Amino acid sequence: MQSIDNLLITPDRSLRDALAAMSDGACNVLLLIDDAGRLRRTVTDGDLRRAILAGHGLDTDLGVLPDQAPKLVEPDSSSAAVLALMNAHGIDQVPTVDEDGRPVALHLRRELDQPVLLSTPHLAEHERDFVEQAFRTNWIAPIGPNVDAFERELASKVGMGHAAALSSGTAAIHLGLHLLGVEPGDRVFCSSLTFVATANPIRYLGAEPVFIDSEPETWNMSPAALSRALAAADAEGRLPKAIIPVGLYGQSPDMEPIIDLCHRYGVPILEDAAESLGAAYRGRAAGTFGRLGIYSFNGNKIITTSGGGMLVGDDPELIERARFLATQSREPAGHYEHQETGFNYRMSNILAGIGRGQLEVLDERVRQRRAVFERYVEGLEGVPGLDWMPEPASFHSTRWLTAMTIDSDRFGSDLEGLISHLADGRIEARRVWKPMHRQPLFKSAAYWPHHATSSVSDRLFETGVCLPSGSNLDSVQQERVIQRIRERARPSGRFWSSSTLSLG
Ligand SMILES: *Cc1c(COP(=O)(O)O)cnc(C)c1O
């Protein structure tokens, strides 16, 4: 919907005034109102063109246009109903009026039709300055002052000693596991409910992933499952070389019990905070709890360099070694000297410039994502069968993606039905990650559920969905999402559970 203040016009104004108003309002429709402020008709640029072709001069007033009852929609009509009316009449805008016939809103097809995406890049003010500086000094690649500064600035932002800027979060996990000594035949424990990028690097190193379930309180690694898995591995004499807890959808795992367990068995942690940069756990930044941590700056993440990652740690030698390995393990010598296999994993000076600008607005992005979440909670209040991803006390989630589960009996539609209803309205919603232990790729891998008899990540996959959550999602777009979910829901207060019915 569009603010209509600039679009109101009276019949005593001229065709010229109307053209100027369209040009000022960057809109090709005006609302012609009478003395009492009631809507007489809409005026499009086509109407003006036809008046001029019919021989009226630009100074003719709008009173010359024939009366024409406007097509209207009720104030609380759904986007689908508005679009249906537009399609039925071949028009691109539909006003809404109050009970006295005064216009209150204007729906535009281009707004209703625009796709609403899950999470899109959101640039700020200074990225361009840093990138321009790189151009000006011809410091485009490979590494350079932006890379050094981005590493320093990010490390200080999260409160970790050191950071190495890399080409992706996946590269950071790969290098991190390599630095922790993971070798062919080793085991690595890893959250099952995650994006495949967490687990792939385990295979790159010829190691074997063992998947750990989520807990219901955080949706992240279950300390209960981890405890059983470690005890069993210890009994076998085959402890993992590393453990990768993942911070899903902007929220840290419950790190304290995980750290305790890892200390007890002497296993290092590599924290995958690709989705949780900006989050905190007991007042400390997500990604800083392990021996190493990683972040991602992929296009959909909370801040982005278009593509990139960061490996962080407190041990300066470990991070220095990461930088060495990431530049083809080139020995310090006048010629090209190599003793070990390296990688081409460094971030470029250009992309680090984007990252520096993005880092300046990280806190703002967290506030914006959290505000998106709050608007969903408010807008969907009273809809039966919806449960939000929980945020326990002493956790501070970024709500990178707003995630919820639906109880399809109470909600009135199953998950796929809801997602395709949203897709029909050009709204992108995605199922929660399909757990790694259910992927054909990892069908041979071991899996430790939260309870011996029930798997939390399976339930989250079967019932969970992520809603459009970008920090640049505007309230009109978000209202479309909310309306469409409400359309699909069972009207609240008119629901009897199947158990109630079966009592009769
Ligand atoms: C995005 C993501 C990654 C990978 O980061 P890239 O920069 O895309 O390689 C790793 N783990 C998780 C959980 C992610 O969401």
Side-chain angles (χ1 to χ4, degrees):
M1 268 178 286
Q2 157 123 8
S3 154
I4 54 163
D5 298 347
N6 300 327
L7 306 180
L8 301 179
I9 197 157
T10 46
D12 56 328
R13 308 290 293 280
S14 66
L15 298 180
R16 184 194 311 279
D17 294 336
L19 284 167
M22 283 181 187
S23 168
D24 291 345
C27 188
N28 57 5
V29 62
L30 297 174
L31 302 174
L32 190 67
I33 51 174
D34 65 16
D35 293 342
R38 287 184 301 248
L39 182 66
R40 274 181 58 179
R41 58 167 292 163
T42 56
V43 178
T44 64
D45 51 355
D47 293 326
L48 299 178
R49 203 162 48 232
R50 279 184 289 277
I52 292 165
L53 287 173
H56 298 292
L58 281 177
D59 294 319
T60 315
D61 63 40
L62 294 171
V64 75
L65 297 174
D67 271 333
Q68 187 186 75
K71 304 279 176 294
L72 296 172
V73 284
E74 297 294 316
D76 53 359
S77 300
S78 67
S79 322
V82 178
L83 266 177
L85 185 81
M86 288 177 178
N87 292 339
H89 298 281
I91 49 180
D92 294 328
Q93 54 272 316
V94 175
T96 301
V97 297
D98 65 14
E99 59 257 33
D100 299 322
R102 295 194 198 93
V104 289
L106 180 66
H107 298 274
L108 300 177
R109 178 188 290 277
R110 69 177 141 85
E111 285 176 1
L112 292 170
D113 262 356
Q114 238 175 38
V116 181
L117 301 174
L118 202 63
S119 178
T120 56
H122 186 179
L123 291 181
E125 266 179 50
H126 295 132
E127 292 86 352
R128 200 181 291 268
D129 300 340
F130 292 117
V131 170
E132 249 160 31
Q133 194 183 354
F135 272 97
R136 223 173 26 248
T137 55
N138 198 32
W139 218 322
I140 306 299
I143 44 182
N146 276 336
V147 173
D148 298 339
F150 187 32
E151 290 176 345
R152 269 197 318 272
E153 288 158 5
L154 183 119
S156 114
K157 176 82 196 164
V158 298
M160 201 67 158
H162 305 274
L166 302 171
S167 52
S168 70
T170 310
I173 297 170
H174 186 194
L175 260 189
L177 292 176
H178 184 76
L179 287 166
L180 296 177
V182 174
E183 287 177 355
D186 284 340
R187 278 179 177 165
V188 174
F189 287 7
C190 172
S191 298
S192 187
L193 190 64
T194 186
F195 180 46
V196 72
T198 311
N200 273 335
I202 301 171
R203 285 275 177 85
Y204 298 168
L205 291 160
E208 182 192 316
V210 171
F211 293 113
I212 311 292
D213 196 8
S214 298
E215 56 167 359
E217 293 81 3
T218 63
W219 293 21
N220 287 319
M221 188 178 272
S222 155
L226 178 64
S227 171
R228 280 185 286 120
L230 281 168
D234 191 34
E236 255 182 88
R238 271 195 73 198
L239 281 169
K241 268 287 176 63
I243 293 180
I244 315 179
V246 180
L248 221 56
Y249 304 133
Q251 178 155 279
S252 168
D254 188 5
M255 289 307 293
E256 228 161 62
I258 294 173
I259 290 169
D260 284 349
L261 284 165
C262 290
H263 276 169
R264 191 180 322 155
Y265 291 97
V267 183
I269 292 174
L270 183 146
E271 194 184 345
D272 179 351
E275 299 179 11
S276 57
L277 175 60
Y281 169 75
R282 299 190 192 282
R284 209 169 117 185
T288 65
F289 290 90
R291 180 114 201 270
L292 292 169
I294 75 99
Y295 301 108
S296 163
F297 310 111
N298 189 29
N300 60 354
K301 298 300 192 311
I302 194 158
I303 60 170
T304 181
T305 59
S306 75
M310 193 76 82
L311 182 71
V312 297
D314 272 330
D315 178 348
E317 278 166 33
L318 208 54
I319 298 300
E320 194 44 50
R321 200 166 137 66
R323 296 192 187 106
F324 166 78
L325 287 165
T327 34
Q328 309 284 20
S329 299
R330 193 175 156 196
E331 300 291 336
H335 58 279
Y336 288 96
E337 178 78 12
H338 305 276
Q339 290 181 20
E340 58 185 307
T341 307
F343 307 87
N344 180 10
Y345 274 176
R346 276 301 245 168
M347 180 182 282
S348 85
N349 199 47
I350 290 278
L351 298 193
I354 302 177
R356 293 182 71 190
Q358 286 273 284
L359 195 57
E360 290 180 349
V361 292
L362 174 60
D363 294 341
E364 194 182 326
R365 297 292 178 263
V366 173
R367 281 194 296 276
Q368 289 161 330
R369 298 249 178 189
R370 287 184 65 91
V372 165
F373 171 76
E374 295 299 337
R375 290 206 299 263
Y376 277 128
V377 173
E378 254 170 57
L380 291 168
E381 210 194 310
V383 176
L386 302 186
D387 278 301
W388 305 106
M389 178 178 180
E391 182 188 34
S394 78
F395 285 64
H396 189 78
S397 169
T398 68
R399 298 290 182 181
W400 169 59
L401 293 185
T402 287
M404 65 178 188
T405 54
I406 70 170
D407 172 339
S408 43
D409 287 344
R410 294 178 52 225
F411 177 68
S413 160
D414 64 7
L415 196 56
E416 289 299 340
L418 173 64
I419 291 172
S420 67
H421 184 65
L422 289 169
D424 287 347
R426 308 202 67 198
I427 294 165
E428 183 187 30
R430 290 272 176 92
R431 298 270 296 264
V432 160
W433 300 123
K434 181 174 181 182
M436 292 303 114
H437 72 274
R438 301 231 337 225
Q439 300 288 354
L441 174 63
F442 295 118
K443 62 177 183 293
S444 61
Y447 173 59
W448 291 85
H450 180 58
H451 292 299
T453 52
S454 77
S455 165
V456 173
S457 60
D458 281 275
R459 178 180 64 77
L460 292 173
F461 171 60
E462 269 137 35
T463 59
V465 60
C466 299
L467 301 177
S469 308
S471 43
N472 47 6
L473 186 73
D474 67 36
S475 53
V476 175
Q477 291 177 310
Q478 193 170 355
E479 193 48 38
R480 263 173 68 194
V481 183
I482 291 169
Q483 283 307 328
R484 237 175 138 77
I485 295 173
R486 283 189 164 278
E487 278 164 32
R488 193 71 191 184
R490 193 187 294 281
S492 47
R494 276 200 270 142
F495 169 71
W496 292 272
S497 74
S498 45
S499 57
T500 318
L501 288 175
S502 66
L503 286 177

